[in-house]
Amino acid sequence: MIYPLAVVAVTDPLQLSALERVDLALASRMLPAEGSTEWIAAAQRALDGVRQPSAADVTFLASLLRFRGFSVSDEDAAAVFAERPGRLAPTTQEHRLLRGLAEALRCVRVRAADGLPPDGWFFVELFRTMALEVPRFRNNDLRRGPPWDAILHAHHAPAEHVQQRLDQFDVARCYGDAHVVFRPLHPVRQAVRMYWRFLQIAPFPDFNAVIGWLGMNAWLQAKGFPLLPAQPGDARWLVQFAGSPPPLRCPPIEARMLSVCNAG
């Protein structure tokens, strides 16, 4: 179900916060055509549109690999998905990961269409789906030691605690957050705090930041928000983000969501 959108009466839109403008941008998409009274149908069409495959998927999926440090352009990813010859041969790790991520994104949308927020074991499903064609991850999903992509100053859970932490990583328990803090927050801010807490678990041998970002988007999609791609510089931002206390606000992510909503 989409987050209830508030309509705020103001004379100057610039007086609104970024997230208030996000809500208004999404609300405007849900308005029925002039003269129509089909409010529910219009809202459902808007939700379906947010969750439909689009040309922007290529950039979103390529951005996830760039986030992990791979040199993958949008053109490289487009060639992989179109099954045409390109720089990334089918035997390369990047080719296989892109194919896996595309299927993982499909899983995100199917779950979002059912109105289901992610939980810990859905994150595991996303990892297994992404890594299906990568030999080094065969029978090697939950880590047995420190993560290979450990983040400086983050307090990653000991490997022996990972399964228990995943069992408890769900919306009923606010993803390990305090109920009085998590529940009143805007869904974009909830997504950011969920991402922060997932990074502290870091349940996989590698690609924790990538799968966590995809899982954060699973939350956003379930709440009716568009996909939020990674951007250049996010790898540097991640070190400060994961090594600091969980934020109540995250202006860079909030501004990015506003940009995505306005672009759509």
Side-chain angles (χ1 to χ4, degrees), residues 218-233:
W219 170 269
L220 292 170
Q221 287 270 284
K223 295 295 181 179
F225 291 84
L227 292 174
L228 198 66
Q231 289 184 354

Side-chain angles (χ1 to χ4, degrees), residues 60 64 105 108 112 191 194 212-222 225-230 257:
F60 176 78
L64 294 179
L105 178 57
V108 163
M194 179 185 71
W213 192 277
L214 189 56
M216 179 176 70
N217 274 278
W219 170 269
L220 292 170
Q221 287 270 284
F225 291 84
L227 292 174
L228 198 66
M257 178 57 78

Side-chain angles (χ1 to χ4, degrees), residues 4 11 27 34 40 46 135 139 141 149 151 163-164 168 181 197 209 243-245 249 251-252 260:
T11 56
E34 187 175 355
I40 295 177
N139 299 320
D141 41 30
D149 60 343
I151 301 171
Q163 290 199 35
Q164 179 185 8
Q168 299 172 354
V181 175
R197 294 194 177 277
S244 302
R249 299 175 63 250
V260 169

Side-chain angles (χ1 to χ4, degrees), residues 184-230:
L185 291 175
H186 188 280
V188 173
R189 292 177 178 170
Q190 290 174 331
V192 170
R193 286 181 71 91
M194 179 185 71
Y195 186 42
W196 185 92
R197 294 194 177 277
F198 178 81
L199 292 174
Q200 310 308 308
I201 303 174
F204 311 121
D206 201 348
F207 289 91
N208 288 288
V210 170
I211 296 299
W213 192 277
L214 189 56
M216 179 176 70
N217 274 278
W219 170 269
L220 292 170
Q221 287 270 284
K223 295 295 181 179
F225 291 84
L227 292 174
L228 198 66

Side-chain angles (χ1 to χ4, degrees), residues 18 39 44 54 76 164 205 224 240 250:
W39 291 87
Q44 189 59 55
S54 74
D76 294 332
Q164 179 185 8
Q240 180 179 3
C250 190

Side-chain angles (χ1 to χ4, degrees), residues 139-171:
N139 299 320
N140 184 28
D141 41 30
L142 298 186
R143 61 182 171 87
R144 302 176 182 87
W148 304 337
D149 60 343
I151 301 171
L152 188 66
H153 303 310
H155 301 288
H156 300 308
E160 60 270 22
H161 295 172
V162 162
Q163 290 199 35
Q164 179 185 8
R165 295 282 293 274
L166 288 173
D167 285 338
Q168 299 172 354
F169 196 72
D170 57 33
V171 69

